C-alpha cells in the first residue's frame, strides 16, 4: 500500500508581497493569456523546474486535465494552496468575467495529473461548496489575499476545488479537521 501524499505549506517567498501588489492591479485579467504563455514557455525551457510563480515565491502546480470536448490532455500552471492531504485551487482567472477553461474540463473529467514541487501525482478534483467552501476560501486568502479582490471584480462565484489522492479511481474520503 502506498502512503497518502502530503501537501504541506511552505514559508512564503521573499517576492510574495510584490507579487500580491502586481496581482491586485485591476487590468491584470487582460494580461493573463500572455502570462500563461510565458509561464508555459519558461517551464518548457527549464524542463518543468521553474515557473513564473516560483520566481514570485508562490505555491503552484501544473494541472493536467482531460479536454471535455477533445479528450486530449490540457496542462495549465496554477497558483495553488497546499493544505495537508489536499491541494486547493480556484477558478479565479484574476477575477475576470469568464471562468477559465480548465474548470469546465475538471468538472467533466475530475481525474487529473498534478506536477507539484517536482513530483507528479494522480489526483481527483472535487468542487468545494457551502460551509466547506468558506473554510477553504479563508485558507486560500491566507496564502493569496488577492482572491478577495478577484471575488469583488466578478459577478460569478469563483469555484474552488480540492485535489485529493485517488483510491480505485475515485476521490478518497478525507476527514476534515474540526474547526
Amino acid at each position: 500500500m502506498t502512503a497518502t501524499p502530503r501537501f504541506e505549506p511552505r514559508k512564503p517567498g521573499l517576492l510574495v508581497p510584490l507579487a500580491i501588489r502586481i496581482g491586485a492591479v485591476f487590468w491584470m485579467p487582460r494580461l493573463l493569456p500572455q502570462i500563461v504563455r510565458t509561464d508555459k514557455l519558461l517551464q518548457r525551457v527549464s524542463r518543468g523546474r521553474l515557473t513564473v510563480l516560483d520566481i514570485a515565491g508562490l505555491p503552484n502546480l501544473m494541472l493536467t486535465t482531460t479536454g471535455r470536448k477533445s479528450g486530449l490532455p490540457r496542462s495549465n500552471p496554477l497558483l495553488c494552496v497546499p493544505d495537508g492531504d489536499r491541494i486547493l485551487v480556484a477558478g479565479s482567472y484574476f477575477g475576470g468575467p469568464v471562468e477559465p477553461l480548465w474548470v469546465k474540463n475538471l468538472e467533466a473529467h475530475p481525474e487529473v495529473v498534478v506536477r507539484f514541487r517536482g513530483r507528479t501525482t494522480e489526483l481527483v478534483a472535487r468542487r468545494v461548496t457551502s460551509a466547506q467552501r468558506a473554510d477553504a476560501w479563508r485558507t486560500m486568502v491566507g496564502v493569496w489575499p488577492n482572491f478577495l479582490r478577484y471575488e469583488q471584480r466578478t459577478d460569478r462565484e469563483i469555484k474552488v476545488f480540492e485535489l485529493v489522492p485517488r483510491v480505485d479511481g475515485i476521490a478518497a474520503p478525507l476527514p476534515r479537521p474540526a474547526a
Side-chain angles (χ1 to χ4, degrees):
M1 179 192 256
T2 60
T4 301
R6 297 287 299 167
F7 308 105
E8 298 302 335
R10 289 186 178 165
K11 183 178 177 184
L14 293 175
L15 295 178
V16 169
L18 177 62
I20 289 170
R21 289 184 68 190
I22 292 169
V25 176
F26 74 92
W27 43 262
M28 192 54 75
R30 287 181 277 179
L31 293 181
L32 194 55
Q34 292 86 350
I35 293 168
V36 169
R37 273 196 302 276
T38 301
D39 195 39
K40 284 182 178 181
L41 176 64
L42 179 61
Q43 289 189 49
R44 193 169 29 252
V45 168
S46 70
R47 295 187 180 133
R49 291 186 299 266
L50 188 62
T51 70
V52 169
L53 292 167
D54 287 327
I55 293 168
L58 292 164
N60 64 89
L61 55 77
M62 179 63 77
L63 176 71
T64 302
T65 59
T66 301
R68 72 184 189 284
K69 293 180 182 178
S70 70
L72 298 173
R74 303 290 183 201
S75 295
N76 294 280
L78 298 177
L79 177 93
C80 70
V81 177
D83 189 34
D85 52 9
R86 66 183 182 169
I87 300 174
L88 298 170
V89 293
S92 64
Y93 210 67
F94 280 99
V98 179
E99 189 170 74
L101 293 175
W102 63 261
V103 169
K104 295 292 184 204
N105 291 340
L106 200 63
E107 291 174 329
H109 303 283
E111 299 81 15
V112 299
V113 175
V114 169
R115 190 174 69 236
F116 178 70
R117 296 182 181 149
R119 196 170 96 206
T120 301
T121 309
E122 291 183 3
L123 301 173
V124 177
R126 296 193 291 208
R127 183 159 175 211
V128 182
T129 57
S130 64
Q132 288 182 336
R133 184 196 183 277
D135 291 340
W137 192 251
R138 273 190 297 279
T139 300
M140 296 182 80
V141 167
V143 171
W144 185 246
N146 287 331
F147 281 130
L148 293 175
R149 287 185 191 265
Y150 302 164
E151 198 172 40
Q152 294 167 352
R153 286 183 190 161
T154 188
D155 292 331
R156 64 185 173 84
E157 179 183 64
I158 296 173
K159 293 178 182 175
V160 174
F161 295 90
E162 62 179 5
L163 308 177
V164 298
R166 291 174 55 154
V167 173
D168 296 327
I170 58 170
L174 299 173
R176 301 298 334 141

